[in-house]
Amino acid sequence: DGLNCYVLGQYEQALTAFNAALEMADLQPALWANLGNTHDKLNQSDQAVEAYSKAIAIAPEDHTLYQNQANIYAAMGNTDKARELYEQAVQLSAYGDPKDAAINYYNMGVTFINSGQTDDAIEALTKAIESDPDYTESYYQLGICFLGTGQMDASLKNLSLYLEMSPDGPNAGVAKQLVANRSAN
């Protein structure tokens, strides 16, 4: 079956299985999403976007579909389209779990960081923290953004919050060094 092939990294076989399944049930958004993910793994971005567009047409209320399609656009370097889709995902998820909204804002922020749009990243990461103050990676990324713009107090504050909340987090080592360097100056 397609999911097993996908999990095993057998993407060509997964494509075949998903396409066969879609011939029998083409109104299944999960099948279209799986097809999109598989195309994405094969670096077939246009086909991945197209598959996600079909999933969204079937299930326009599913915020994860917008988020996943936004991730593909972000990887393609189309930050404007990615931002638009992240915003749609946020709007849909804002009525549900605030953690979902935080994840969407965080992903949007990282997309802006990767495209050099620091001010937009700061705005998105701030909204991520407002949506879910416990989403610690937002503090780290926000601290790095403020560091890059020369806002040292704001950088130190966010990096310190990150360390306080996530002392063993994935970026704790870097954060500790940055805080120690800032505090020494």
Side-chain angles (χ1 to χ4, degrees), residues 25-41:
D26 69 346
L27 293 178
Q28 296 295 319
L31 282 175
W32 286 108
N34 287 329
L35 185 67
N37 292 338
T38 306
H39 279 300
D40 189 42
K41 288 288 187 186

Side-chain angles (χ1 to χ4, degrees), residues 23-99:
E23 286 180 24
M24 295 183 286
D26 69 346
L27 293 178
Q28 296 295 319
L31 282 175
W32 286 108
N34 287 329
L35 185 67
N37 292 338
T38 306
H39 279 300
D40 189 42
K41 288 288 187 186
L42 291 167
N43 295 316
Q44 299 168 343
S45 301
D46 291 340
Q47 293 95 322
V49 164
E50 184 179 328
Y52 265 102
S53 292
K54 289 182 178 175
I56 289 168
I58 297 165
E61 71 290 343
D62 186 343
H63 70 92
T64 60
L65 297 174
Y66 295 91
Q67 180 179 342
N68 292 343
Q69 190 178 45
N71 292 340
I72 295 166
Y73 274 111
M76 294 168 69
N78 188 340
T79 54
D80 289 340
K81 186 64 178 177
R83 178 185 202 157
E84 174 188 323
L85 289 161
Y86 284 133
E87 290 282 3
Q88 287 178 284
V90 166
Q91 293 305 313
L92 289 169
S93 63
Y95 300 109
D97 188 344
K99 291 184 186 323

Side-chain angles (χ1 to χ4, degrees), residues 99-167:
K99 291 184 186 323
D100 290 335
I103 290 167
N104 283 303
Y105 279 125
Y106 175 82
N107 287 337
M108 188 188 309
V110 170
T111 299
F112 291 138
I113 290 168
N114 292 336
S115 64
Q117 297 172 283
T118 308
D119 290 341
D120 288 333
I122 289 170
E123 179 183 338
L125 292 166
T126 300
K127 288 180 180 177
I129 292 167
E130 290 169 0
S131 298
D132 180 7
D134 294 327
Y135 197 73
T136 58
E137 288 304 308
S138 298
Y139 294 97
Y140 174 78
Q141 294 296 341
L142 191 56
I144 296 300
C145 287
F146 283 132
L147 181 66
T149 60
Q151 298 176 63
M152 298 309 169
D153 289 344
S155 174
L156 190 59
K157 174 187 168 204
N158 280 282
L159 291 172
S160 296
L161 281 169
Y162 170 74
L163 287 171
E164 186 179 308
M165 297 169 75
S166 188

Side-chain angles (χ1 to χ4, degrees), residues 171-185:
N171 295 301
V174 173
K176 285 175 187 169
Q177 285 182 315
L178 292 170
V179 168
N181 289 347
R182 290 290 121 222
S183 298
N185 291 338

